[in-house]
Amino acid sequence: MTNNERLDLLERTHSLPLADYRALIEGYTPELAAIAAEKAVRIRKAIYGNTVFVRGLIEISSFCKNDCYYCGLRRSNRDCQRYRLTPEEIMECCREGYALGFRTFVLQGGEDSWFTDNILCKLIAEIKTAYPDCAVTLSLGERSEESYRRLREAGADRYLLRHETANAAHYAHLHPAEMSFSNRMACLKTLRKLGYQVGCGMMVGSPGQTSEHLAQDLKFIEDFRPDMCGIGPFLPHSATPFASEQPGGLAMTCYLLSLIRLIHPSVLLPATTALGTVDPTGREKGIEAGANVVMPNLSPVSVRKKYMLYDGKICTGEESAQCVACLKARMQSIGYEIVTDRGDRKKEE
Ligand code: SAH
């Protein structure tokens, strides 16, 4: 089979054997990527038209008990300025975001034990009471099943927990021994069982990553069928063990976005901040490869530079309103429109 034939088959059946995913990845050419993108955009337009969903990202804490080798918030990074937003500050971000048209709020942070279940449940309930037409998405890392259950009962709708890599040995290359691949995967399954809309995802071009690993990521996405899938290039952070590693590429990330769209037509796929960081028009290119979500930053400007997952992170200077206006203009420039909508996954497969 040629790679063109593999793309045709993927478009029709949304599934390929692992070896064929690997062949598609190793056979990357700009021409093949253009064909994949064209198919991906067609399939996405049939489901979502030319609309792009927005999520207001609120970075609630830069404290983290974990020590992931790639992340600037890792606990061993003494240079990271730590902060946490108060529930009142988070409510203020939501108020501002609601006025700007956001109907999804994403609370993301390091694994900060200050945010106990009680504090989070109260906060989630408060957001859902004040804005019943909004979805609340959490991205707070690994917690116990009991904790995930309580947060869900308090009203959380969605949970983003990137699997980071679907290969256990590669997972161990990216994380210290106290973190486990099996627990990451178990968390994703628990979140699904509890009725969350679940997001997984991986970094592209992370240290030690091979085409076999990426093929395993695609197979995992095919099997798990997440509601959301966040992928972006790995970008080095100067105060981590991966400081001198090569960044992941724009082109491979966009190509993978297209393949994921073909695997799972209705998946919610963000053009991430990391994609906008590797290339000034990276997010536009992500949308043109098949993504359909953007996540403007709603965090208070005073803390944005302290949430440095990687060097050079964009959108750390502007007010939220400016971030939204900038993204609206970017989407319009490529013929897409941002909508005021919760932006749930369409179930028309
Ligand atoms: N603590 C939460 C949120 C982590 S930050 C959790 O564990 O889910 C969100 C995502 O940023 C991570 O899942 C990771 O994939 C990405 N990220 C972290 N460091 C990065 C880096 N150096 N380059 C690119 N992406 C990075």
Side-chain angles (χ1 to χ4, degrees):
M1 216 184 344
T2 66
N3 275 330
N4 278 316
E5 289 165 347
R6 290 189 177 96
L7 284 183
D8 286 337
L9 188 60
L10 185 59
E11 183 183 27
R12 279 201 314 279
T13 65
H14 316 300
S15 168
L16 286 178
L18 185 69
D20 291 285
Y21 284 131
R22 184 171 167 172
L24 277 173
I25 291 158
E26 290 177 354
Y28 167 87
T29 61
E31 295 73 30
L32 192 66
I35 294 168
E38 195 234 276
K39 289 181 190 297
V41 166
R42 196 180 333 121
I43 221 166
R44 188 208 47 210
K45 283 202 169 164
I47 302 173
Y48 294 106
N50 71 336
T51 55
V52 171
F53 296 134
V54 280
R55 316 314 192 184
L57 182 64
I58 307 171
E59 298 156 334
I60 67 171
S61 176
S62 68
F63 285 91
C64 193
K65 68 175 167 60
N66 286 334
D67 220 13
C68 308
Y69 299 142
Y70 46 86
C71 183
L73 305 187
R74 67 199 303 268
R75 67 163 186 267
S76 300
N77 179 9
R78 302 276 159 236
D79 299 334
C80 175
Q81 295 182 53
R82 308 291 171 171
Y83 74 91
R84 65 173 64 92
L85 299 181
T86 63
E88 295 71 34
E89 287 171 315
I90 296 168
M91 288 306 294
E92 177 55 26
C93 292
C94 294
R95 195 193 59 76
E96 200 180 338
Y98 192 86
L100 290 167
F102 290 96
R103 296 297 178 267
T104 291
F105 302 115
V106 182
L107 310 186
Q108 187 181 84
E111 293 194 16
D112 177 359
S113 50
W114 188 87
F115 282 99
T116 57
D117 293 344
N118 283 341
I119 288 177
L120 284 170
C121 286
K122 188 162 171 283
L123 173 63
I124 293 162
E126 207 179 326
I127 298 173
K128 294 293 283 192
T129 304
Y131 309 105
D133 53 338
C134 291
V136 170
T137 304
L138 303 177
S139 176
L140 301 170
E142 297 173 23
R143 302 177 74 95
S144 67
E145 173 162 355
E146 181 51 25
S147 172
Y148 287 148
R149 176 176 295 113
R150 288 191 57 198
L151 303 178
R152 174 85 185 113
E153 283 166 3
D157 302 277
R158 308 184 185 135
Y159 206 104
L160 302 176
L161 185 74
R162 290 188 176 182
H163 64 285
E164 311 298 358
T165 169
N167 179 283
H170 187 225
Y171 191 91
H173 186 74
L174 300 177
H175 301 92
E178 74 257 19
M179 292 182 72
S180 91
F181 176 69
S182 59
N183 192 51
R184 196 86 180 166
M185 288 297 176
C187 284
L188 283 168
K189 298 206 168 80
T190 300
L191 289 163
R192 156 92 29 100
K193 182 182 80 181
L194 293 170
Y196 285 93
Q197 295 169 45
V198 182
C200 66
M202 69 282 186
M203 292 176 288
V204 179
S206 60
Q209 187 179 63
T210 64
S211 53
E212 176 70 11
H213 298 153
L214 282 173
Q216 290 175 326
D217 287 323
L218 294 181
K219 199 67 196 170
F220 171 67
I221 291 163
E222 181 194 309
D223 292 338
F224 185 64
R225 299 190 75 67
D227 297 280
M228 297 87 78
C229 185
I231 75 163
F234 158 76
L235 296 168
H237 185 292
S238 55
T240 64
F242 290 157
S244 49
E245 298 285 341
Q246 285 298 310
L250 169 81
M252 183 52 79
T253 306
C254 288
Y255 181 51
L256 290 165
L257 285 170
S258 301
L259 296 182
I260 293 168
R261 174 66 62 200
L262 296 179
I263 291 169
H264 190 3
S266 66
V267 72
L268 295 160
L269 206 50
T272 56
T273 305
L275 198 55
T277 300
V278 280
D279 182 286
T281 58
R283 286 168 299 179
E284 291 88 320
K285 287 171 181 150
I287 299 292
E288 290 180 311
N292 68 330
V293 173
V294 288
M295 301 174 68
N297 198 325
L298 275 186
S299 308
V301 176
S302 57
V303 304
R304 289 191 190 186
K305 286 198 168 52
K306 302 177 188 167
Y307 198 84
M308 276 293 171
L309 303 172
Y310 44 79
D311 293 340
K313 184 164 169 265
I314 57 167
C315 307
T316 59
E318 302 91 1
E319 294 291 339
S320 300
Q322 288 173 284
C323 264
V324 174
C326 161
L327 268 172
K328 272 192 181 148
R330 285 173 182 273
M331 294 303 115
Q332 271 164 13
S333 77
I334 53 168
Y336 288 81
E337 201 192 337
I338 281 180
V339 288
T340 295
D341 189 298
R342 268 174 56 117
D344 289 297
R345 183 165 73 80
K346 299 231 160 72
K347 314 261 179 184
E348 53 217 70
E349 282 169 61

